[in-house]
Structures are given as structure tokens and as C-alpha cells.
Amino acid sequence: MRKFTLLDGLVLPLDRANVDTDAIIPKQFLKSISRSGFGPYAFDEWRYLDHGEPGMDCSKRPLNPEFSMNQARYQGAQILLARENFGCGSSREHAPWALEDFGFAVIIAPSYADIFFNNCFKNGLLPIRLPEDQVDALFKEVEAKPGYRLVVDLEAQTIRTPAGVAYKFEIEAFRKHCLLNGLDDIGLTLQHVEAIKTFETKHRAAQPWL
Amino acid sequence: MNAQTLYDKLWNSHVVRQEADGTALIYIDRHLVHEVTSPQAFEGLKLSGRKLWRSASMLAVADHNVPTANRAAGITDPIARLQVETLNNNCAELGVTEFRMNDVRQGVVHVMGPEQGATLPGMTVVCGDSHTSTHGAFGALAFGIGTSEVEHVMATQCLLIKKSRAMQVRVEGDLRKGVTAKDIALAVIGQIGTAGGTGYAIEFAGSAIRKLSMEGRMTLCNMAIEAGARAGMIAADDTTISYLKGRPFAPQGELWEQAVAYWKTLHSDAGAVYDCVIDFDAAKIKPQVTWGTSPEMVVPVDGRVPDPALMSDPVKREGAERALQYMGLTANTPMTEIYIDKVFIGSCTNGRIEDMRAAAAVAAGKKVAKNVQLALVVPGSGLVKQQAELEGLDKIFTAAGFEWRDAGCSMCLAMNADRLSQAERCASTSNRNFEGRQGPGGRTHLVSPEMAAAAAIAGHFVDVS
Ligand code: SF4
């Protein structure tokens, strides 16, 4: 997994609550058996005016000019600013894959759905929770100032605005450690093979029908 | 020892080790697999040269992409076919039990698992699918995971997770006639919201829950994820035990007795403490219908489409306005005046035999209304289909003008050919009414099987209570 330390990135606002993973990556793209290539289809139904199907050449499709992702000022964004309960619905990891493939490395929102939140960390994406009023303030600033960037410092757990305001964010110690070092969960768990085997033996003895 | 919740018991009996910050390594007993979220995990496992830890814990089935008509022709969509074949090949290569498309045991993973007795009380059950919460109905700890975690379980039989907080949803009293587990689920979500259960594991308890059949309990736990909770659960009791007896994957003989003795301990102790308790009066719950694009946008069938102008929270108001526009609805319209174009009865929420029976009872001797172009009944599994046909339910449906199909996810998410067209309105027994969920531009109203069948007959929503 790629390491995450510090990011100075352009911010893209997505001003809707309860954005579900069906919206982040519609189901027709879930037929793929690969992990990559979902970026061009991220938010497909909102982003394009036609109906997308896997394998389409997205550079030729009609764009929805209203959607922030298509506006010139947000091109190259690496930070997604979103509203509450982001990533609800289906457990599809294709959602973080699509966001990562599109170029996002950080999401900022007041809250996330549990499975999505968890899936982000497995893909080097950092989902940050900030209080509602701070997210609101960020939305106002992004919309007011083209080229708006934020500096996300994982080590220090801060988000710095161009005006020099620093918002502090929380992250679980273990997740932070894994992201900072780009650690692979499976590799980490396999360091405990003996503990798993011991547990398994005991567990099967207690419930031999399993 | 302190009084424990059911969740505490399930959690404590599966902790392998714990990090200082509370992240725990949890052992997984049952790993269900379907074609959509597993190919990248199998590939990852192979690329890293790792082995499957315990193939016997796994049970696989293709459900999302399979056609529900003319199966003899195979899967015509080449991309879908490749995905299903990839699952077949991976399972064959690694010795994982799979029920293939033409096996009578094939079905939606969350219908198939319990039906086979593959979900047992006291287990940890995972699947790369958010509706894995369904299996909590058996007094199991069951939750959906992402594909990276699917690979993690394949390689280590464990998951790294943190314990959630515990919520109890208590439903006391008797349900009115025509009110089902689906209506309880929608009423709960309507009250606590789709994020109300975020960070929680929900235990459903109370006399109304104990009176539910296993099918009803599964319907309810299925939708815990729609309330934001990764896991929903219900204590194991005699209903659970008699459902499981004699099922292919359930223990037999001496082991059965031993298992039953243990399963009887799988309930919350008197005095167990929850982080949050919410009470519902069963008698007050009416049949529910969603009006918007999130399961929390729901009202009783005798209600009206809400007016966004009356909502004080600006984010909520804007969401409601967008939803009404997408749904093509006007504020204050009585729900019973909403006409529909299609009906879908099925899915892991309501594709079980009891659901088929309930819908058939409403449809018996009636005809689907003229304005309804398609009324689809899709059994949750081949075995549900077989049982329904044994009882003659298929005849009732087809005589009334419903289509009777083969098992799969079908129009719950429209990955196969069953889908809504632009602006079509559907009464659906599935679990999600998100934009485009049942087809681009399609408009979904979530209801119970009784409500869906009644809407098919009347052509619009009617109060079945
Ligand atoms: S029936 Fe619907 S919700 Fe259930 S597993 Fe299939 S797609 Fe998912």
C-alpha cells in the first residue's frame, strides 16, 4: 500500500449529504474483475449526461457542466470535501478504488458510513472527520476562492488552510501507523500466525461443530 | 462477571489478540463469497503467494450477475459471464464449496447461507456484501466487509476491527395485521435515520421480535445496515433452533445437542448495559412506503409525501427537494395516490418462502392492474423456488399476471437484465431506493411483500393493514 504522510492538494467540493457508494461507482462497473481503472467512472451518473457502461471511452462522453468535478477550477483535485454520512450503502470497495484512481488521497466530511470508512484505509485513502461547522466553513471558502488548497499533515493530524488556520483531526493510532508506513494489513496479521493457530485450536475444542 | 450483552458474548468469544488502541484481531467462522466482491481478493491472494487459511469456512455462490430467465442459454453479457466464471475457477482451484448457477441450492448469498444451515448461532459471519447483517438474526455476529478484508480473511481467517458501541432496539407488543418485519425495519430507519446506527451494533429485542419467524428476523437484521449499523442481531431461541434442525450444514446427533446447549446461552444477560436503547410500540407501526432516495425517507402508507419547505435543517431540506425532483413527486400527495409502473418481489430482504406466501395470499384470484407493465417475482434461492412451486404459489402468481423467475439479486440492484427504465416507478421489496439503484433514472419505493403485491393489483399503493 502507498504511504501517506503530507499532502498539499486542491480541494473539490461535493455538496450533498448521504452520498452512497452506488452513486460513487454505479453497479454496471462492478462487473470488472480488476482493482483499477474505475476513476473515469467515479460518480458516473452525476458526472456525465449519457448513461455509462464499462469499457466506454469517457473522453468522448458529454459532461454535466453543473457537476463540480467537471469544472475547470477543480481539475487535479486530490482532496474531496463532502457532507455527512458519506459512502453509505453497499460495501463495494470499488468506491474507494474509484476515488483513489481518480486522484483523491484525502476525503473530509463530518461523518462516514462504517464500511466505506474502513475500506478507505485499506487503499491509502485518508478519510478525515471534522465537526460540521468546520466542514461548513471549508465549503464556503472553497466556493469563494478558486484554486483553494489545503495542507493535510497526517503526522501532526492537522489540516492547514491558506489563511493559516489549522484544524486538528482525530485518527486511531493503529490506522495512522499503518498509513504513515504504507503497511499491509495481511502482512501485519500474519506476524501473529501462532496466536491465530492457538486460538483456533481452543475455539474448535469449545465448539467442535464449527 | 458483569452482565453481558449478546454482542459482548459474540465479540469476546472471537478475540485472538488486541492492540493498545483497542483494534482487535477477530477470528472468523464463516466466510460467504459472491462473484462481485471476490475476484480482486482471490487475485491478491495468489499474487502475494499466500494460501487460503481455511477453505472449509467458505461457501460461495454467484447471485448478483446471474440471469433470472432462460438460464439454459447461460449468461449472455460477456463481462458478467467472465465474473461468474472467475468465481467458478477460483473456487474449483482452491477447493471452496460453490453452488453454481444451475444448482438448485443457488440463490442470493444471504438467503442461501441460512437455508443451508451455514449460519449458526455464536458464529462470526462475514461476506463482501453489506447485507451480511442478515445473518445476525441467528444470534451470530455478522457484518459486511470490503474486498481487501475478504482477502484478509482468506489469508488469515481473521479481521482487524474495533468493537462497535451497542444499541438495543426494543419492539414490544403485537404487530397489526398486514404489518411485517419489513415495516418494523423501515419504521426504525425512519426514526433513527440512515446514519443513526453508524458506529453501533444493533440488537433487536422485545416481545414483537421474539414473535417473528426466522424469515422475519432475517428481514429485519438485513436492513440494520440501512440504519448505518454494520451488524444487527437477535438472540438465539427456540425459533432459531427449530429452524436450523436438519439443515445440511448444521451439526447432527451428539454435536447438535452440544451446540444447542451453547446456543441457549446466546442472549443478553439481565441487566446488561447498552450505549443506547430505543423503544418502539409494535401496535403503532403501520405499513411503510418510502417516498425518496434514501431508506430514511419513509412514511406510513396512510401518510403523504412530506413538504421540504417545512424542514428546518437546510441539508435535510435540500436532500428532500432533490429526492422529490428525482422521484417525480409533489409534496403533500397521499401515498395511496401514487401509481406505479413495475413491481419487484424478491431480494435478500424479502425473497424467502414466507415472503412468497404472503405476496401470493394477496395476489390469489386477482389480476395485476393494467398500468403495471411488469410484476416480477424472484425467489431468493432455487430451494425457495422449489418449495413455492410445491405449494402452487407460482401458479397463483402467473394466473394473476406476475412473472415467476429464477433465483438471484435481479432488480434489487439491476446488474443483470432486470431493471427499470428512465422515470419508471417501482414498488419493490428490496432494501435500497438510491438514485439509479434499480436502473438509471428508475424510481424505487420500498415496501413489504404484502404491500408490493397489493400495489401490483391496485396499480397504486394501498393500505393492507
Ligand atoms: S439481493 Fe440486493 S441487497 Fe441482497 S445481496 Fe443481492 S444485490 Fe445485495
Side-chain angles (χ1 to χ4, degrees), chain A residues 75-89:
Chain A
Q75 296 312 303
Q78 288 176 284
I79 300 175
L80 177 64
L81 182 64
R83 293 288 186 184
E84 67 196 43
N85 199 26
F86 188 80
C88 59

Side-chain angles (χ1 to χ4, degrees), chain B residues 219-232:
Chain B
T219 301
L220 185 56
C221 290
N222 174 275
M223 291 198 67
I225 183 69
E226 255 51 70
R230 250 180 126 169

Side-chain angles (χ1 to χ4, degrees), chain B residues 51-307:
Chain B
K51 287 212 173 47
L52 257 193
W53 186 285
R54 185 165 181 251
S55 58
S57 71
M58 295 170 73
L59 186 55
V61 72
D63 52 6
H64 285 60
N65 270 308
V66 298
T68 59
N70 193 18
R71 286 233 168 128
I75 305 175
T76 47
D77 173 354
I79 318 178
R81 188 171 62 231
L82 176 63
Q83 197 169 61
V84 173
E85 281 168 359
T86 304
L87 179 68
N88 293 347
N89 296 339
N90 281 326
C91 289
E93 189 184 328
L94 296 175
V96 173
T97 305
E98 183 200 0
F99 300 148
R100 294 205 179 182
M101 190 168 83
N102 291 318
D103 188 315
V104 70
R105 297 168 295 180
Q106 181 269 344
V108 181
V109 64
H110 310 307
V111 176
M112 175 282 290
E115 186 174 72
Q116 290 298 319
T119 300
L120 297 174
M123 275 184 165
T124 41
V125 181
V126 297
C127 175
D129 193 284
S130 57
H131 291 100
T132 309
S133 59
T134 310
H135 308 264
F138 288 82
L141 177 58
F143 52 90
I145 57 180
T147 298
S148 296
E149 290 176 310
V150 168
E151 185 182 335
H152 195 281
V153 176
M154 285 174 174
T156 70
Q157 209 57 41
C158 291
L159 271 179
L160 274 168
I161 49 171
K162 262 193 138 168
K163 196 174 175 191
S164 306
R165 283 168 292 169
M167 178 188 290
Q168 187 188 39
V169 170
R170 219 158 36 188
V171 192
E172 297 287 352
D174 287 307
L175 290 173
R176 307 171 180 220
K177 169 189 136 313
V179 176
T180 67
K182 179 65 162 285
D183 303 298
I184 302 180
L186 287 170
V188 169
I189 296 162
Q191 177 161 334
I192 73 174
T194 48
T198 303
Y200 288 96
I202 301 182
E203 180 183 345
F204 297 98
S207 59
I209 305 300
R210 284 196 297 277
K211 274 177 252 171
L212 290 176
S213 64
M214 282 319 295
E215 283 85 352
R217 294 178 188 186
M218 284 189 259
T219 301
L220 185 56
C221 290
N222 174 275
M223 291 198 67
I225 183 69
E226 255 51 70
R230 250 180 126 169
M233 66 195 79
I234 295 174
D237 62 9
D238 291 340
T239 305
T240 324
I241 292 163
S242 53
Y243 177 96
L244 287 169
K245 188 150 179 78
R247 300 210 173 242
F249 284 70
Q252 322 275 341
E254 184 109 342
L255 281 179
W256 168 260
E257 300 304 328
Q258 215 179 320
V260 166
Y262 174 60
W263 296 345
K264 290 197 162 159
T265 68
L266 295 173
H267 52 75
S268 293
D269 298 328
V273 181
Y274 297 85
D275 299 288
C276 167
V277 178
I278 302 175
D279 283 299
F280 285 82
D281 178 353
K284 291 215 175 100
I285 300 174
K286 292 185 181 159
Q288 307 279 310
V289 187
T290 63
W291 52 268
T293 51
S294 156
E296 71 184 28
M297 296 174 166
V298 66
V299 288
V301 62
D302 60 358
R304 289 165 183 267
V305 176
D307 188 350

Side-chain angles (χ1 to χ4, degrees), chain B residues 251-387:
Chain B
Q252 322 275 341
E254 184 109 342
L255 281 179
W256 168 260
E257 300 304 328
Q258 215 179 320
V260 166
Y262 174 60
W263 296 345
K264 290 197 162 159
T265 68
L266 295 173
H267 52 75
S268 293
D269 298 328
V273 181
Y274 297 85
D275 299 288
C276 167
V277 178
I278 302 175
D279 283 299
F280 285 82
D281 178 353
K284 291 215 175 100
I285 300 174
K286 292 185 181 159
Q288 307 279 310
V289 187
T290 63
W291 52 268
T293 51
S294 156
E296 71 184 28
M297 296 174 166
V298 66
V299 288
V301 62
D302 60 358
R304 289 165 183 267
V305 176
D307 188 350
L310 303 177
M311 299 179 181
S312 50
D313 175 351
V315 177
K316 274 228 152 59
R317 189 186 327 128
E318 211 182 298
E321 280 165 0
R322 262 186 66 84
L324 287 192
Q325 193 189 10
Y326 179 87
M327 293 295 290
L329 291 174
T330 317
N332 298 317
T333 307
M335 295 309 289
T336 50
E337 285 175 20
I338 297 174
Y339 282 77
I340 54 168
D341 306 302
K342 285 188 174 162
V343 174
F344 172 64
I345 298 175
S347 87
C348 59
T349 313
N350 284 126
R352 299 185 180 81
I353 188 66
E354 190 176 81
D355 304 309
M356 303 289 117
R357 288 180 190 139
V362 174
K366 312 255 173 56
K367 284 270 183 261
V368 170
K370 291 245 155 38
N371 59 300
V372 176
Q373 297 144 28
L374 177 71
L376 212 55
V377 188
V378 182
S381 73
L383 288 170
V384 169
K385 185 176 192 221
Q386 198 175 55
Q387 179 61 30

